Amino acid sequence: MRYIFIGSGAIGGSIGGRLHESGRSVVLVARGAHFEALRDKGLRLRVPAGTLTLDVPVVAGPEDVELREDDVLVLAVKTQDSVAALEAWAARPVAGGGTAGERLPLVCAQNGVENERLALRRFHEVYGMCVVLPSTYLNPGEVVAPCGPYTGALVTGRYGTGSDETARRIADDLEKAHFLAPVVTDVMRWKYGKLLGNLANVVEAVCGSASDAAAKDLVAKAKAEGAAVLDAAGIACASEAEITELRSGTVDPQPIAGEPTRGSSWQSLARGAGSIETDYLNGEIALRGREHGVPTPVNAALQHAARESVSQGREPGGLTAGELSRRIAEGVLVEPRPRPLP
């Protein structure tokens, strides 16, 4: 199989680079300065063992690659960019007839739980991937993946219908490329568990760090709201203990000098990306809370703070955790308590 990575930042670059290194056929899709750096100098993938310079084929868009029947599309953009990417690729012709949406499997290697639903509207075969892969993309052409002995844990399964041979073939390739890649029949349970952990991303991004006492308190409250919402919605999720067990001794931090690991939302603000995925992380909890009559003032306030940071062009650390806590306590930028459902 050939893997086409739609989005080649921290996640797409790490997975695609490792697959290419292991001898698999890979195409990276990138834009702007990142595309130019990959095209001209190759991918610089920094891992604990050293820096890999990988001459991975790269294209700027779907019109630049002829799709084959053995291709696997890997969606690795942020959720806010998913619809545009899916629409650009779904209608592309595949050699032998048909379109990508009709014939090719698509893997959602992304945070959040909305991407699979978006993809299934356009693709017949959709796979979820719970990505436990601390990595950083800040500079064009360079990705840092500072964990070992595995680069990451990628829990994979077919969306909606459990597992199949395609999922197992993908996992087999990943296992040969420095990834732990269990195949499961309940991949969304794992992705909902990861969602609860990702509620901390915006605190790190907006406040610059999630390690001080005020920030930890915000994170704990956001996660408590999230757990209450998922419970009210009847949504099962992998526990924090399960995710910790998955990566313990397999995906351990092995710091690379001068490269602190930062979350994806922090990286978006630091790069000035112009958008952030918080609407599909904390915003998912706020949405479900409104549906089920569960108040989510902390997640709603964090969601608003993220939008504010993007619109004002703030770098990470533009607000303190204490200021955010004050806003929540005073009811500033927090929606009213939902009325009980009839």
Side-chain angles (χ1 to χ4, degrees):
M1 296 188 292
R2 180 176 68 167
Y3 295 89
I4 299 176
F5 283 83
I6 305 169
S8 301
I11 300 304
S14 295
I15 303 174
R18 280 302 209 180
L19 282 169
H20 174 84
E21 180 201 17
S22 72
R24 300 309 182 269
S25 182
V26 172
V27 176
L28 301 179
V29 183
R31 299 178 298 178
H34 192 42
F35 165 75
E36 294 172 0
L38 293 172
R39 179 195 61 196
D40 297 342
K41 299 180 180 179
L43 171 66
R44 282 171 47 86
L45 179 59
R46 299 184 64 189
V47 297
T51 298
L52 307 172
T53 301
L54 305 168
D55 188 20
V56 190
V58 59
V59 299
E63 64 280 357
D64 297 329
V65 59
E66 294 184 6
L67 297 179
R68 312 185 312 217
E69 62 182 356
D70 65 343
D71 284 337
V72 175
L73 303 181
V74 183
L75 190 63
V77 298
K78 298 292 196 302
T79 306
Q80 65 268 25
D81 298 320
S82 286
V83 170
L86 291 165
E87 289 181 347
W89 286 86
R92 296 297 301 172
V94 178
T99 66
E102 295 166 343
R103 297 191 58 195
L104 300 184
L106 181 132
V107 181
C108 295
Q110 301 160 284
N111 287 333
V113 294
E114 183 65 16
N115 298 289
E116 288 77 9
R117 282 173 50 83
L118 294 173
L120 200 60
R121 297 177 189 275
R122 299 162 176 85
F123 283 80
H124 292 203
E125 294 183 59
V126 174
Y127 297 79
M129 180 178 284
C130 178
V131 179
V132 182
L133 173 50
S135 53
T136 303
Y137 159 57
L138 292 176
N139 302 308
E142 181 176 90
V143 172
V144 181
C147 285
Y150 290 98
T151 299
L154 307 173
V155 182
T156 305
R158 184 166 177 135
Y159 179 62
T161 54
S163 179
D164 62 10
E165 182 59 27
T166 297
R168 287 186 284 272
R169 290 180 64 196
I170 293 169
D172 184 61
D173 283 347
L174 292 170
E175 289 278 7
K176 294 172 182 175
H178 300 277
F179 292 101
L180 183 66
V183 176
V184 298
T185 58
D186 56 352
V187 68
M188 295 311 294
R189 187 180 77 89
W190 284 89
K191 295 201 74 167
Y192 273 104
K194 177 81 184 314
L195 171 66
L196 292 181
N198 286 144
L199 299 180
N201 289 17
V202 65
V203 177
E204 180 195 37
V206 171
C207 304
S209 171
S211 60
D212 65 49
K216 288 180 178 179
D217 182 62
L218 279 176
V219 170
K221 289 176 178 176
K223 289 183 178 181
E225 288 181 1
V229 164
L230 297 187
D231 183 62
I235 296 173
C237 64
S239 68
E240 186 175 349
E242 286 179 278
I243 296 174
T244 298
E245 182 179 2
L246 172 73
R247 63 179 298 179
S248 179
T250 56
V251 184
D252 290 335
Q254 296 182 4
I256 296 172
E259 296 291 347
T261 302
R262 301 290 193 177
S264 56
S265 298
W266 187 98
Q267 294 174 48
S268 292
L269 289 187
R271 290 200 314 273
S275 67
I276 196 168
E277 62 186 337
T278 311
D279 282 346
Y280 298 95
L281 302 176
N282 306 79
E284 177 72 23
I285 298 305
L287 181 156
R288 296 281 186 174
R290 293 165 195 150
E291 288 180 337
H292 296 279
V294 179
T296 59
V298 174
N299 282 285
L302 292 174
Q303 185 183 5
H304 190 284
R307 290 175 177 170
E308 186 181 83
S309 292
V310 171
S311 66
Q312 296 185 11
R314 290 176 182 155
E315 295 184 353
L319 285 174
T320 67
E323 171 64 15
L324 282 177
S325 298
R326 184 192 64 78
R327 289 185 181 189
I328 296 166
E330 295 178 357
V332 178
L333 307 179
V334 179
E335 58 191 10
R337 185 181 182 88
R339 290 177 295 177
L341 297 175

